[in-house]
Amino acid sequence: MHDQNKLWRIALYGVLLYAAVYYLLPLYVMVTTSVKSMDEIRAGNLIALPMSITFDAWTKAWATACTGVDCNGLSGYFWNSVKMVIPAVLISTSLGALNGYVLSKWRFKGSELTFALILFGVFIPFQVVLLPMAQTLGWFGLARSVAGLIFVHVVFGIASTTLFFRNYYVGIPDELIKAARLDGAGFWRIFFKVVLPMSTPIVMVVLIWQFTQIWNDFLFGVVFSSGDSQPITVGLNNLANTSTSVKEYNVDMAAAIIAALPTIVVYVLAGKYFVRGLTAGAVKG
Amino acid sequence: MGALAIKNVTKRFGDTHILKGIDIHIDAGQFLILVGPSGCGKSTLMNIIAGLEAPTSGEVQIGERVVNDVAPKDRDIAMVFQSYALYPTMNVRQNIAFGMETRGVPRKEQEETITRVSKMLQIDHLLDRKPGQLSGGQRQRVAMGRALARNPTLFLFDEPLSNLDAKLRVEMRTEIKQLHHRLKTTIVYVTHDQIEAMTLGDRIAVMKDGVIQQFGSPEEIYERPANLFVAGFIGSPSMNFIDCHLAEQGGDVGISLQSEGGVRFVPLLDGRRFADRLGQKVILGVRPEQIEVAEEGEPALECKVHLTEPTGPDTMIFTQINGKEVIARVHPRAAGRPGDSMRLKLDVRKVVLFDPQTEARLN
């Protein structure tokens, strides 16, 4: 009995170890390749540890790699993404919180229908709206600008942020709102003083969700921006597709890590809230 | 002076009539209980008084003022909720202060109020705690403290004790009563618990299906229930309902009771009033404590004991009269054992009669 148990343990850990290696291996290859020199890459084997560590590929990917005709690396794209992602995340999250608050605590005639229609936005494939959105951005004078990208991401983000917040707020007892109304608080005071302070877990979930979605978006970036407004995903694509005499794997790897780093950092810093927030609705406050 | 007047208030959601014409008047300082089974409309009525819902028709008057179009915050009321509805992110002090802050009460006055209220409710050592760190009873006190800080003309309590365990519920019930004696503020209190209703209320409105079945003092409601529903709802164990026929014997009008041990004719007080109903079916309502053990030599009904339930001070005797199970509350020493025969009599001064069709009280 005891031995059998032990055997099970070994098998279990074996499977877990295998799964961990399986998922970590690409990351390992990316990191090690990015700090190898091209000579070593050509000579050595894919999973060998680097013989000497050099960050030349990183500086090149950041500052001098060619992305088409320009050879200024990813830095410009990176800052474009930062300029796009911060306002887009903040605006879509704020609007989602407000929508969720209204749709759960200040129901009006047709509020359920409104919610259903907003929810529809979650299921619309992005490709369907590319042309109408391009037209709309043109009318607004926002075509090919970071502001235009922010607008698109906010509009598309509202559906999911509203869904998240609304479902979280449904779990907040209505009596709390009634109590605040009797205490004399109005719409905004209840929102800011009572509801929002209770929202930390869901705010974290939505921030991470939106940040990841918007930072990783390629389709909107490649369609609705050009030149100096393009986000990092487009930059990475350009960098990897710009053909020079040799394929610089170390630069490509460094560039890919640079592009992925912010989402990893955000998840590491706030990830515990993410798991907690997703299950928070089930727990009484 | 009138403290609260509800005039022909109705509430409808589509075709569903929640309230069908409610009329209630109480004086300042009275403790009004709205009691009834769930779905009777009592909470809706409470929300209408608070201004959280609007009536479909009718008028609500608090003090001398019609408040139909007055916002909840301007009605000079405070409410204690079933779930306490404490703001979870604020500590006790902030919870109590929130309403005062909203109304722009000066900080010094806020501090004074918090001190006064928290002392009164013995929560002054909890002021810096969050609601999550409090026990059920403490949360209940904080919720009351928040209402007290308002110093309103009308307190509304919405089933405030139903989330507490049995022992605490009894303690808090007494505290609420003491608080009312001390403050003498008008209170409207919603409950589905008839014991809370009886122990706390000056005036009780028994509700069912959106209609007030009876509105009166606890004594009136207990002694002279308006109909079968009120009679059965108030009192524990419930009033016994015995089907019988009105009959005449030796010039007296009365009813005939049959137990497993014999038949007896019981003349009613004032029985001649029912002379025109002779031979008709009526329902006799008799509370368990109105069935007594007969003295030696007194006329009595021989009843067979089916089951006994000792509660300590009293023992419940289960027997059968006119084919119905009947409970009698007797002194433990007088109680027989299951299978024994007991000589029981009715306290005819207190029994009530109901019409089987209309279910209204006859005497």
Side-chain angles (χ1 to χ4, degrees):
Chain A
M1 187 66 207
H2 191 77
D3 282 347
Q4 205 182 356
N5 232 334
K6 209 166 174 180
L7 225 71
W8 268 115
R9 286 268 125 186
I10 293 171
L12 179 67
Y13 283 114
V15 171
L16 289 176
L17 197 70
Y18 175 78
V21 170
Y22 185 86
Y23 281 99
L24 282 174
L25 202 59
L27 185 65
Y28 165 80
V29 171
M30 281 176 76
V31 174
T32 50
T33 307
S34 74
V35 293
K36 288 175 185 174
S37 65
M38 274 311 288
D39 288 341
E40 194 185 336
I41 293 171
R42 266 187 233 104
N45 110 20
L46 190 64
I47 55 172
L49 279 166
M51 284 181 287
S52 63
I53 290 174
T54 162
F55 288 98
D56 292 349
W58 283 75
T59 45
K60 185 168 183 192
W62 179 251
T64 62
C66 294
T67 53
V69 251
D70 296 325
C71 291
N72 298 321
L74 286 179
S75 57
Y77 297 96
F78 187 90
W79 293 121
N80 279 345
S81 269
V82 171
K83 274 186 269 177
M84 167 189 76
V85 82
I86 290 175
V89 167
L90 293 183
I91 296 171
S92 60
T93 304
S94 312
L95 290 177
L98 214 51
N99 281 348
Y101 172 56
V102 170
L103 291 173
S104 60
K105 298 295 171 220
W106 297 85
R107 301 213 174 142
F108 50 91
K109 235 191 174 79
S111 62
E112 288 299 300
L113 181 69
T114 310
F115 178 56
L117 291 176
I118 292 178
L119 204 55
F120 205 58
V122 178
F123 302 106
I124 293 179
F126 287 2
Q127 293 84 342
V128 173
V129 296
L130 287 181
L131 282 174
M133 185 53 87
Q135 181 70 68
T136 309
L137 288 177
W139 282 329
F140 288 168
L142 292 174
R144 295 189 196 85
S145 67
V146 173
L149 274 183
I150 293 171
F151 177 79
V152 174
H153 283 301
V154 166
V155 168
F156 269 88
I158 283 175
S160 42
T161 58
T162 301
L163 173 69
F164 276 123
F165 277 105
R166 187 261 182 196
N167 287 353
Y168 182 80
Y169 288 158
V170 161
I172 293 181
D174 288 341
E175 287 195 342
L176 218 49
I177 309 298
K178 290 184 187 174
R181 281 175 65 194
L182 281 168
D183 266 342
F187 181 89
W188 292 107
R189 187 166 160 83
I190 296 175
F191 180 64
F192 285 114
K193 292 289 180 179
V194 179
V195 172
L196 210 53
M198 295 172 70
S199 311
T200 317
I202 199 66
V203 167
M204 285 301 176
V205 168
V206 173
L207 285 179
I208 295 176
W209 178 266
Q210 281 300 92
F211 187 90
T212 311
Q213 292 288 315
I214 298 174
W215 185 273
N216 288 342
D217 165 72
F218 176 70
L219 183 64
F220 288 154
V222 80
V223 174
F224 298 130
S225 67
S226 68
D228 53 7
S229 70
Q230 288 179 323
I232 188 142
T233 43
V234 179
L236 178 64
N237 176 65
N238 294 355
L239 181 140
N241 285 338
T242 301
S243 40
T244 48
S245 49
V246 279
K247 190 95 188 127
E248 293 180 295
Y249 292 108
N250 51 358
V251 178
D252 288 358
M253 292 303 174
I257 295 173
I258 289 171
L261 214 51
T263 51
I264 295 174
V265 169
V266 165
Y267 189 77
V268 168
L269 289 182
K272 62 174 181 178
Y273 291 103
F274 193 76
V275 179
R276 218 186 282 164
L278 283 179
T279 56
V283 187
K284 225 164 64 173
Chain B
M1 192 190 93
L4 173 69
I6 295 162
K7 293 174 188 163
N8 201 19
V9 161
T10 66
K11 178 71 181 176
R12 230 176 37 218
F13 291 108
D15 287 336
T16 322
H17 293 252
I18 309 290
L19 298 175
K20 305 169 186 164
I22 302 291
D23 279 289
I24 292 175
H25 296 253
I26 53 168
D27 295 329
Q30 284 192 320
F31 200 129
L32 167 69
I33 303 276
L34 304 175
V35 65
S38 48
C40 71
K42 58 191 190 294
S43 291
T44 306
L45 183 57
M46 177 70 110
N47 281 340
I48 287 174
I49 297 171
L52 297 166
E53 282 179 54
T56 307
S57 69
E59 202 177 87
V60 178
Q61 197 177 324
I62 295 175
E64 300 300 306
R65 188 166 60 132
V66 175
V67 293
N68 281 40
D69 298 321
V70 178
K73 66 185 169 79
D74 299 321
R75 293 190 176 197
D76 200 14
I77 54 176
M79 190 156 170
V80 177
F81 294 88
Q82 181 175 0
S83 66
Y84 317 136
L86 300 176
Y87 310 122
T89 54
M90 303 179 198
N91 64 27
V92 170
R93 185 192 307 278
Q94 292 162 329
N95 260 285
I96 297 175
F98 184 73
M100 293 189 281
E101 253 169 46
T102 310
R103 292 194 303 279
V105 174
R107 190 149 292 272
K108 188 157 168 290
E109 201 178 313
Q110 286 186 26
E111 288 297 327
E112 285 165 8
T113 307
I114 292 170
T115 310
R116 175 175 60 80
V117 165
S118 58
K119 280 230 172 72
M120 187 191 294
L121 293 168
Q122 292 150 26
I123 48 173
D124 38 346
H125 58 295
L126 305 171
L127 286 177
D128 294 318
R129 293 212 201 155
K130 294 266 178 71
Q133 299 164 297
L134 303 177
S135 70
Q138 289 169 334
R139 284 182 211 189
Q140 172 67 61
R141 274 170 217 269
V142 175
M144 293 206 304
R146 194 170 59 178
L148 286 178
R150 176 85 204 242
N151 199 17
T153 53
L154 189 63
F155 276 115
L156 305 176
F157 285 81
D158 190 3
E159 309 219 16
L161 302 183
S162 43
N163 284 357
L164 298 176
D165 62 55
K167 186 167 176 288
L168 206 53
R169 199 179 311 161
V170 175
E171 286 173 20
M172 290 305 292
R173 197 172 72 202
T174 313
E175 280 194 38
I176 290 176
K177 188 151 193 173
Q178 281 169 346
L179 203 66
H180 179 242
H181 274 279
R182 187 135 47 120
L183 297 171
K184 303 207 162 39
T185 311
T186 318
I187 295 181
V188 179
Y189 187 108
V190 166
T191 181
H192 61 267
D193 183 326
Q194 51 93 17
I195 296 177
E196 275 176 35
M198 289 296 292
T199 48
L200 289 173
D202 293 319
R203 311 287 287 161
I204 299 178
V206 183
M207 294 179 66
K208 186 193 164 203
D209 300 334
V211 175
I212 291 188
Q213 305 289 321
Q214 189 171 4
F215 179 53
S217 70
E219 295 72 31
E220 280 164 8
I221 289 196
Y222 191 78
E223 306 275 342
R224 309 186 63 72
N227 57 35
L228 270 182
F229 172 77
V230 175
F233 189 76
I234 300 286
S236 174
S238 281
M239 182 182 268
N240 298 299
F241 297 123
I242 304 169
D243 296 322
C244 38
H245 287 85
L246 282 170
E248 191 173 17
Q249 197 172 320
D252 286 327
V253 174
I255 43 162
S256 146
L257 299 180
Q258 176 167 27
S259 70
E260 286 144 306
V263 186
R264 251 192 67 76
F265 178 79
V266 180
L268 292 168
L269 281 183
D270 224 3
R272 292 246 57 100
R273 280 169 54 197
F274 306 112
D276 56 332
R277 285 184 178 254
L278 278 177
Q280 288 181 18
K281 241 179 97 175
V282 290
I283 295 173
L284 174 75
V286 50
R287 295 208 179 269
E289 67 271 20
Q290 293 159 1
I291 305 179
E292 298 163 341
V293 180
E295 307 274 322
E296 208 57 47
E298 246 183 333
L301 193 60
E302 287 283 340
C303 292
K304 198 168 157 221
V305 178
H306 292 178
L307 193 71
T308 61
E309 271 183 3
T311 63
D314 302 306
T315 296
M316 305 300 163
I317 303 288
F318 288 66
T319 181
Q320 204 178 46
I321 297 177
N322 286 13
K324 283 268 202 143
E325 179 171 89
V326 166
I327 302 175
R329 186 200 291 260
V330 302
H331 194 275
R333 254 177 300 170
R337 293 162 160 282
D340 288 357
S341 190
M342 285 180 72
R343 300 180 70 251
L344 299 177
K345 60 166 189 175
L346 303 184
D347 184 348
V348 280
R349 287 166 304 152
K350 290 187 174 161
V351 298
V352 283
L353 290 180
F354 298 99
D355 185 309
Q357 262 82 50
T358 66
E359 302 197 344
R361 193 185 67 233
L362 294 171
N363 58 335

